Amino acid sequence: MTRETLVDTLEEIALLLELKGENPFKVRAYRTGAETVRQYPGDIVALAREGKLEGIKGLGDALQQKLHELASTGALVFHEKLKAEFPPGLFELFDLQGLGPKKIKALHESLGVDSLARLKELCESGEVAKLPGFGTKTAEKILEAIAFRESNAGSFRLGDVATPVEEILASLREHPDCLRAEVAGSYRRSRETVHDVDFLVATSRPEAIIEHFVSQAPVVRVLAQGPTKASVNLASGLQCDLRAVSNAEFACALAYFTGSKEHNVAMRGRALEMGYTLNEYRLAVREGGDAPEPPVFESEAQLHRFLGLDYIAPELRENTGEIAAAAEGDLPRLIELENLRGTFHNHTLSSDGHDTLEAMAGAAIKLGLQYLGIADHSKSSFQANGLDEKRLRAQIAEIRELNRRWRDEGVKFRLFAGSEVDILKDGTLDFDDDLLGELDYVVASVHNSMTLPEAAMTERLIRAASHPRVTMLGHLTGRLLLEREPYAVDIPAVIEACAEHGTVIELNCNPWRLDLDWRWWKHAAARGVKCSINPDAHRTGHLGFLAFGVRLARKGWLTREDVVNTLDLASVEEWLEVGAVS
Ligand code: DGT
Ligand code: CA
Ligand code: ZN
């Protein structure tokens, strides 16, 4: 059970009650409740589970009980019954971008809309535009939102699939008949979203491995099961395929099923030029050719070498120049998770995080990091409980105090006092220069007015990037994977401004963001812009997001030298011009 589930459930109840025409006060009570849960500074899920919500302003008795039931049992009877009163298709409208409760109510009541498909028809036929309060523009927006949704159908965020995928992989590797196992496909290439997951196992007893695969705990349905192949569904709807090959075939099969398709085509072309055919099982001498017989490849690296290439890491296999670079010995030495020494964009209880400064520091120390940057929200982000000047100054003092304590205790760790400062609509910042000057560093991010025209948004971000106190730009495009499009912005122009002013760009590694997108990093690095791999952690466990950030940074061809948080503590103190702890 997560806070998000509690909030979403209360909001959905409010909407359903509203559709039923229930008393507005009752509806409002659920909305207020949802807002209260969203913003509560403590561990509201634990309090709800333990039935300890009494006295929290904004949560009446009835809501407290419902939250307790939901958090302790995982479901709410009241909610289930209410949902059953409506056509299931109606719920498809609920997370359509830009469609709030009022509009859903109007569509349902005036036009009887009860599914996404029906809504699409009525938008296309012009009926929706005719509704009071809608108009052509709104109808077009709705169609765009539906199209965005359809284009994302069947996609899953890398971060959402990672846990079950790694569990299944580990379990396959434990099987006595498994000689080698890997995940191939888009997952191995670290795409930010994947359609399905491709497992590959080397074995001499494929039936045993297939049987083991289809009986994995996360599997809810077996779609197909043959002697060397199987396909299953996980509860999320994610399809996982497994293919069993012989140990001798494994290297070529892994290369083939890792893809990408475009990379494979180019590799096959290269093999052909050298007199070989390359398929999913082997490299072979071309029919009638006289090229020397190739060996059985033990590894992909050996295959690559045979083709006159340096080893190409899976993340790079998108046919964007990696083969030419490998032939020239020009591939970058990619960054690794172990290279990180700290990280900069993290939240605490003071804004919308869940843990204290000390807890966040403790988690960072446990990961072997030497420093952690705190960047809670600024005052304009009131929905995230942003800090005003007074609270921020108090936090800075608290951080300085903790740092002195660690120094005295001989703990080699430091918190940096920063802020995730809102970039206001005109590109100015949420705090004045004096306060920004008291901070060790500044992350500047957009959290409102996200629908500005491209030129205005670009100017806004360039203005922020050019501010002398701004250390880095946070989540530059604001995208939420599969949920919200990036805002309209001229990214190369913003990269140029960052290059000119020495402003770092964040690679936000929250799996919903992974922003700035990997496709831009090769260019940014070539322009001399540095990257900061930041988890945007809202609780201690989120520091684990760093692993996704590193995967995407590798995909963007970045090296250790391109990433500022590979610097050790002393180098960061020098870079930020903050001096040692005093
Ligand atoms: P996705 O859509 O997220 O599942 O992406 P992939 O890359 O995992 O694609 P998938 O699962 O269809 O296939 C896995 C790999 O198998 C793919 O990256 C390359 C290889 N492959 C599949 N079909 C073809 C093909 O028609 N030609 C070539 N050369 N390779 C293919
Ligand atoms: Ca796949
Ligand atoms: Zn943010």
Side-chain angles (χ1 to χ4, degrees):
M1 185 59 49
T2 63
R3 183 188 296 244
E4 289 69 35
T5 315
L6 297 180
V7 172
D8 290 350
T9 308
L10 295 184
E11 276 179 349
E12 191 166 302
I13 292 174
L15 178 54
L16 294 174
L17 292 176
E18 199 172 10
L19 288 174
K20 267 180 75 168
E22 283 269 1
N23 169 349
F25 291 106
K26 196 167 167 186
V27 174
R28 186 148 352 119
Y30 280 94
R31 292 241 155 83
T32 310
E35 212 37 46
T36 306
V37 173
R38 195 198 315 276
Q39 302 213 11
Y40 188 74
D43 188 348
I44 191 109
V45 181
L47 292 176
R49 196 171 46 235
E50 292 154 20
K52 291 186 183 153
L53 296 168
E54 210 170 323
I56 297 181
K57 211 173 136 244
L59 298 180
D61 286 350
L63 252 76
Q64 289 177 24
Q65 272 173 28
K66 291 196 169 72
L67 286 169
H68 176 53
E69 181 185 335
L70 187 55
S72 56
T73 69
L76 179 61
V77 175
F78 175 74
H79 179 224
E80 300 301 325
K81 280 192 178 151
L82 190 61
K83 267 181 13 190
E85 295 177 40
F86 294 90
L90 189 71
F91 297 91
E92 299 167 0
L93 312 187
F94 285 18
D95 27 55
L96 213 52
Q97 211 186 325
L99 202 59
K102 275 208 197 99
K103 290 217 162 67
I104 293 180
K105 187 163 150 62
L107 289 165
H108 184 58
E109 283 173 1
S110 315
L111 298 175
V113 172
D114 56 3
S115 70
L116 211 56
R118 184 78 187 128
L119 178 59
K120 194 175 172 185
E121 277 170 28
L122 293 171
C123 282
E124 282 164 349
S125 71
E127 294 295 311
V128 168
K130 280 188 234 152
L131 271 187
F134 280 70
T136 328
K137 232 180 161 168
T138 305
E140 275 170 15
K141 279 252 147 64
I142 295 175
L143 280 176
E144 275 172 31
I146 294 176
F148 179 65
R149 233 198 127 87
E150 285 173 346
S151 73
N152 289 331
S155 290
F156 298 80
R157 283 174 286 267
L158 180 70
D160 292 341
V161 306
T163 303
V165 166
E166 295 298 331
E167 270 172 27
I168 293 173
L169 180 63
S171 169
L172 289 171
R173 284 178 174 161
E174 275 167 19
H175 194 281
D177 290 307
C178 172
L179 301 169
R180 290 190 267 178
E182 292 291 346
V183 185
S186 48
Y187 181 87
R188 184 163 183 247
R189 300 201 312 281
S190 297
R191 295 287 297 216
E192 66 277 35
T193 58
V194 304
H195 294 111
D196 60 23
V197 177
D198 311 274
F199 290 91
L200 186 72
V201 174
T203 180
S204 49
R205 291 196 57 222
E207 327 74 43
I209 292 292
I210 297 284
E211 205 43 61
H212 183 59
F213 176 64
V214 300
S215 54
Q216 290 297 304
V219 170
V220 297
R221 200 174 309 118
V222 179
L223 302 168
Q225 184 173 355
T228 60
K229 282 197 262 190
S231 291
V232 299
N233 268 158
L234 309 189
S236 58
L238 177 71
Q239 182 175 329
C240 293
D241 298 342
L242 177 134
R243 200 173 288 258
V245 297
S246 72
N247 205 27
E249 292 165 336
F250 188 80
C252 284
L254 182 59
Y256 180 89
F257 289 109
T258 297
S260 65
K261 219 163 161 174
E262 294 73 17
H263 169 90
N264 286 355
V265 169
M267 289 291 268
R268 271 207 306 270
R270 187 176 176 88
L272 273 179
E273 277 171 19
M274 295 172 67
Y276 298 95
T277 59
L278 179 60
N279 67 21
E280 60 245 72
Y281 303 115
R282 66 192 61 83
L283 184 82
V285 178
R286 214 173 154 167
E287 237 180 59
D290 56 1
E293 196 59 37
V296 168
F297 296 107
E298 287 294 321
S299 66
E300 285 180 316
Q302 212 186 350
L303 169 66
H304 289 176
R305 214 171 304 129
F306 189 83
L307 294 172
L309 304 170
D310 284 344
Y311 174 65
I312 303 171
E315 294 91 336
L316 301 186
R317 300 183 199 168
E318 300 289 347
N319 199 30
T320 57
E322 72 279 12
I323 297 174
E328 297 294 320
D330 274 347
L331 283 175
R333 180 160 179 184
L334 301 178
I335 182 173
E336 291 175 22
L337 184 58
E338 291 68 31
N339 299 147
L340 297 186
R341 295 287 171 270
T343 183
F344 285 104
H345 177 179
N346 301 287
H347 297 265
T348 72
L349 276 178
S350 296
S351 65
D352 58 348
H354 294 243
D355 292 302
T356 61
L357 283 173
E358 281 192 84
M360 293 298 288
I365 291 170
K366 224 168 164 181
L367 288 177
L369 301 182
Q370 302 172 355
Y371 53 91
L372 186 74
I374 300 299
D376 271 315
H377 287 285
S378 63
K379 61 187 179 194
S380 289
S381 275
F382 47 85
Q383 77 290 344
N385 193 24
L387 281 64
D388 60 13
E389 287 80 357
K390 196 168 158 225
R391 289 174 64 217
L392 180 55
R393 286 202 163 94
Q395 188 185 56
I396 297 173
E398 199 185 339
I399 288 174
R400 305 258 186 269
E401 191 53 46
L402 282 166
N403 283 337
R404 279 191 288 269
R405 203 182 84 201
W406 287 315
R407 181 203 52 198
D408 296 344
E409 291 171 356
V411 179
K412 283 208 170 38
F413 181 82
R414 176 171 184 166
L415 284 175
F416 288 112
S419 171
E420 185 184 16
V421 181
D422 270 17
I423 303 174
L424 305 179
K425 196 170 173 183
D426 63 356
T428 59
L429 301 177
D430 204 12
F431 290 131
D432 64 28
D433 289 1
D434 284 346
L435 179 49
L436 296 179
E438 292 172 38
L439 294 164
D440 296 332
Y441 74 102
V442 170
V443 183
S445 308
V446 165
H447 291 114
N448 56 28
S449 306
M450 299 186 193
T451 53
L452 291 184
E454 179 174 321
M457 186 60 96
T458 304
E459 204 179 313
R460 178 184 185 184
L461 281 167
I462 287 177
R463 190 164 176 193
S466 315
H467 192 293
R469 298 261 184 236
V470 169
T471 317
M472 58 184 80
L473 294 180
H475 46 70
L476 198 152
T477 76
R479 76 170 177 192
L480 294 177
L481 289 167
L482 309 181
E483 192 80 27
R484 185 171 78 203
E485 296 264 35
Y487 23 78
V489 55
D490 181 347
I491 295 172
V494 178
I495 289 174
E496 276 321 297
C498 289
E500 189 184 330
H501 297 277
T503 306
V504 172
I505 297 177
E506 164 180 277
L507 197 175
N508 187 301
C509 29
N510 181 308
W512 283 66
R513 294 189 182 272
L514 301 175
D515 182 11
L516 185 63
D517 188 279
W518 59 270
R519 294 161 185 83
W520 289 105
W521 284 111
K522 203 203 285 188
H523 170 69
R527 299 297 303 129
V529 175
K530 300 285 183 205
C531 167
S532 182
I533 299 181
N534 293 336
D536 198 351
H538 283 70
R539 52 174 76 242
T540 54
H542 288 176
L543 291 178
F545 292 163
L546 285 169
F548 298 119
V550 171
R551 290 177 70 170
L552 272 293
R554 290 169 61 86
K555 198 158 186 63
W557 292 54
L558 296 185
T559 66
R560 177 183 198 152
E561 289 69 34
D562 296 321
V563 176
V564 288
N565 49 317
T566 60
L567 295 174
D568 64 15
L569 178 55
S571 307
V572 171
E573 286 172 338
E574 196 172 312
W575 168 52
L576 296 176
E577 299 175 359
V578 295
V581 172
S582 60

